Amino acid sequence: MGSLETGVPLKRAPLLRSSSSSSSRDDRRPFLQRPRSRFARFLLFEKVDYLQWICTVAVFFFVVVLFQAFLPGSMEKSGVSVEEKDIVSGDLVVLNEMGRLDFGEGIRFEPSKLLEKFRKEAKEVNSSSASSKPRVRSGVKKPQLALVFADLSVDPEQLLMVSVAVSLQEIGYALQVYSLEDGPVHAVWRNIGVPVTIIQTNNKAVIAVDWLNYDGILVNSLEAKGVFSWFEDLEQHPGGSLRQRVTASFTSWAFRYVAVVKFVLKNHVYTCYSLVQDPFKSLPVIWIIHERTLATRLRQYTSNGETQLIDDWKQAFERATVVVFPNYVLPMLYSTFDAGNYFVIPGSPAEAWEADKLMTLYNKDDLRVKMGYRPDDFVIAIVGSQFLYSGSWLEHALVLQALLPIVADFPSDHNSNSPLKIMILSGNLTSNDNAAMEAIAVNLSYPRGVVKHIAVDGDANSFLSTVDLVIYGSFLEEQSFPGILIQAMCFGKPIISPDLSMIRKYVDDRVNGFLFPKENIGVLTQVLFQVISKGKLSPLARNIASIGKGPARNLMVLETIEGYASLLENVLKLPSEVAPPKAVTEIPPRLKEEWQWHLFEGIIDLKYLNRTLRNYSFLDKVEEQWNYTQMESSGATSAMDEAFSYTDWEEEKSIEMANARKRREEEELKDRTDQPHGTWEEVYRSAKKADRSKNDLHERDDRELERTGQPLCIYELYLGEGTWPFLHHTSLYRGIGLSTKGRRPGADDVDAPSRLPLLNNPYYRDVLGEYGAFFAIANRIDRMHKNAWIGFQSWRAAARKVSLSKVSESALLDAIQARRHGDALYFWVRMDKDPRNPLQQDFWSFCDAINAGNCRFAVSEALQKMYGIKHDLDSLPSMPVDGDTWSVMHCWALPTRSFLEFVMFSRMFVDALDAQMYDEHQQSGHCYLSLSKDRHCYSRVLELLVNVWAYHSARRMVYVNPETGVMLEQHRLKSRRGQMWVRWFSYTTLKSMDEDLAEESDSDHPTRRWLWPSTGEVFWQGVFERERNLRHRQKEKRKQQSKDKISRMRRRVRQKAIGKYLKPRGDSNSTVITTMTTASG
């Protein structure tokens, strides 16, 4: 639990924190020994008029008696009976069920877990920066943010995010907008220089997004979750059925844990993905929620027992790094989903936006007539806090008492109808509440019909636009300025409020509103006489109301802008090549004074009129999909069946019947075939051979058969379901999954952990990254890879649109077959075009930039340990600046023999790196190649290692243009003379070092932690001789067994014949059988 307690029913004690005393301290004290509230101390110790004190006490006891007379017994605890709860509006029911505050208590929302997390991370950063090895931030690129919307309609949320985005751009952020649907605000984003991408999710031409390009994602509204899910055509399914095969729950929101749905339809396999899967699940996501619709529906889900749907929404809220709300009521409405990641940034232009819209669409006089007010009526609205607490009735009674003297200024007509109307605004209205207020009004001698208690569910704008004066009748200290007062001020209404600290921050007495001391309620009466003159608003009140209207439109802009900027500073963990944004204080003051209203002038969008209806429609779709899943899981008939025509089903039925007939005929023929008999060993051997043939036939699809005859196979490196849309499906490519869990179903992908058990360890899977696939492929490579050349390509190459085109693939294959460049390294992703290198730095400077300034040191230390150099190695392998470029992102191709040599070098280099970094990184999560905790540590050094090996082993390096296929040789061999460390990188040197390590591992069996034996085969001359001797012994054993068998056959005793056949003589047809007898005696 962090900011709010989870679970239903909700408990009040952990949720609400009193501003006057500690909740834990109050729990241990009896009720009579609790400290008195501020109001009690005010009544007992302040100098108050005696008559006023007596009247106050009388009203208080009258209210208590009235509650006992009219309200049920449960009123003392919850304020509303069980029967009455059903008529209370949706979101207020949630607050009702949470329990009410006592009179005078304060309420505070404290995101304790989130703040503690921020403090802990800041402390770790400070401690790591004070380590022995200094770390440097190069800051060569801006921090990247993605803003995600459900659509680009004109609404106050778009205005808020545009205002925040303009400020973030000023302090150094680069922004990109993604939206599921286009809209008028597209032009606004374009005008401020933010690119917009519309993601289509309703067809096969999916625009997949590599979210790893961004340092953080800001998701706006509940509906925007769908932007993280899409359907993708994975593969041709040769024997696919038209029948839907649902293998996972079906839902459309983004933050699902598993692949959402998979089904085979018309020989195509479709799969849906989500942000919570690898490799995107660790990306910071800030989810901004303005809607109350889901909180209202939550009570319905609970009553209907739809716990699985609630759990699905919980997963969505848990996935977000931070869930941001614009006020302090929404976190309580959504408390069921709280995972300790709730945060409030107060402020929104929604109130001013709604007021402008209402004044544009309706006339004030028409609304007054519609609500039953006469032109000469003077309407006073008493409003209060959005939080429900038992002391609110007493506060309203005190306000009514202060209003009583002005009744005389409003004489009644001949029908005893007073033009004065006092309306107590409340979110819930029951018969007992209404009767209680009427009884209080009668006791205070108000004329009948003057005081009314009205309920406004959700939208109070229509009511506030018709009143003449607004009085804030709550003494509750809140954390933000009440939204109901912002609405009233935007309508140009004068407001009167107690001088609460949060209200004094924005309202100056007699400047843009009226304030009275909460300790002296009698001052309210004096203020009323200054506001009301002869039954109308005084000129002073009108002037103050007009002055307050302007600032109210831009109230709390400063808090909102600085709040988002500060939150991003705490949430984002920027890599060393990213420049930190400027301080929050450096945001220009003009951007913190008002919302960007001018950018939305003249833009008309009628969609916003039904925004709430659209939110409910979105929830209806989610519920419909969830119900559909429940039907499928219970074996109900699929609704998708209706989408297929009768002809389709007849075709499918005929195919199944033909297959069944063919299987039956084969079984019958098999029974008729003579089965030769043999020994049990022969039968077993035949069965195993048939089983292997069956498996080979099952695994070898068309692409694998085509791949066998090609000179090159490119392995695409990927991790997790989120990368699937970026992978190729042609015979030239073959996927290799770094995790067994995230492999593509039905694809001929290589399972790296099964080939290299080291990758089952999450630590090494993360720290090696895509480099682990090289070790997995090289481990007993002859069992899997049969091609003369081998290539690799990261899934991110396709995401960045730098993967090989068809033209480039053909050019590369032609060059390999023609042996145009010999033993060469072909690569197609350039370092000087990498987004991390906008300044086009040289090799070692770029390596330092992405590794906290310590790349040179790490490589130098690793080479010293690898080659056993005792003295300090002052120089590094030369990587000259000659106008050519280098390879990045593991996108290259090599002869298979050269690849094995490169892996041999890499295994020793990685072992040296691991030896110097493992202890600190494993214990603290920090390594000196990163500024903060980083699971990948030295993987960025390994990304560039192939360049060092290829350059200094005298391989030709050829760049292949991924679009045109044009090839340019880089760093020609003639220019390298005198700069290459050929002796250090020669095959002879590396092979001898590899055999030395293998001999040590095989002979000595060291007990220390040692990575090298786990990264591949352990082979040296001793192993070869041992295997040769073993084969020789087995051969000798088989020979001896054969000799023994022959010897047994020769020594075997044979029975003598008891008769023999004699050929008949002449034409005689008789058969003569001579019986041999032994003479006796």
Side-chain angles (χ1 to χ4, degrees), residues 146-150 156-158 160-162 164-165 168 217-225 255 285-291 317 320-327 330 334 341 343-345 347-348 560 564 567-568 611:
L147 308 181
V148 180
F149 300 94
E157 287 75 26
Q158 287 284 342
L160 185 148
M161 294 311 299
V162 167
V164 172
L168 293 179
I217 301 177
L218 276 71
V219 183
N220 194 282
S221 82
L222 293 172
E223 298 178 53
K225 293 182 300 178
F255 305 104
V285 176
I286 298 176
W287 193 8
I288 306 166
I289 297 180
H290 304 270
E291 305 90 342
F317 279 78
T321 309
V322 181
V323 179
V324 177
F325 299 100
N327 57 60
L330 287 177
Y334 286 97
N341 57 351
F343 197 78
V344 174
I345 300 179
S348 171
T560 303
Y564 279 100
L567 179 63
L568 288 171
R611 188 72 182 185

Side-chain angles (χ1 to χ4, degrees), residues 141-148 174-178 195 197 208-218 228 280 282-284 572-575 578 796 800:
K141 61 176 291 192
K142 293 182 178 181
Q144 307 288 318
L145 292 179
L147 308 181
V148 180
L175 308 177
Q176 167 76 48
V177 168
Y178 291 95
T197 300
V209 180
D210 179 9
W211 300 111
L212 295 183
N213 289 332
Y214 304 98
D215 300 300
I217 301 177
L218 276 71
F228 296 102
F280 305 130
S282 60
L283 192 65
L572 302 185
K573 300 296 177 285
L574 303 177
V578 176
R796 300 196 68 187
R800 293 185 182 178

Side-chain angles (χ1 to χ4, degrees), residues 152-153 158 182-191 194-198:
L152 297 178
S153 303
Q158 287 284 342
D182 205 350
V185 186
H186 191 146
V188 176
W189 289 106
R190 186 171 61 249
N191 291 338
V194 177
V196 178
T197 300
I198 306 301

Side-chain angles (χ1 to χ4, degrees), residues 659-676:
N659 292 337
R661 190 183 303 111
K662 185 177 180 180
R663 286 194 302 268
R664 186 166 57 253
E665 292 176 355
E666 291 177 352
E667 292 175 358
E668 292 176 356
L669 291 175
K670 182 178 179 180
D671 294 339
R672 298 173 187 173
T673 304
D674 294 337
Q675 300 292 334

Side-chain angles (χ1 to χ4, degrees), residues 74 77-90 92-99 299 428 430:
S74 62
K77 180 66 180 175
S78 63
V80 190
S81 66
V82 176
E83 294 80 2
E84 293 165 347
K85 285 184 179 181
D86 295 332
I87 25 179
V88 183
S89 60
L92 291 173
V93 167
V94 182
L95 293 177
N96 238 355
E97 293 175 348
M98 293 163 64
R299 186 167 181 263
N428 59 319
T430 64

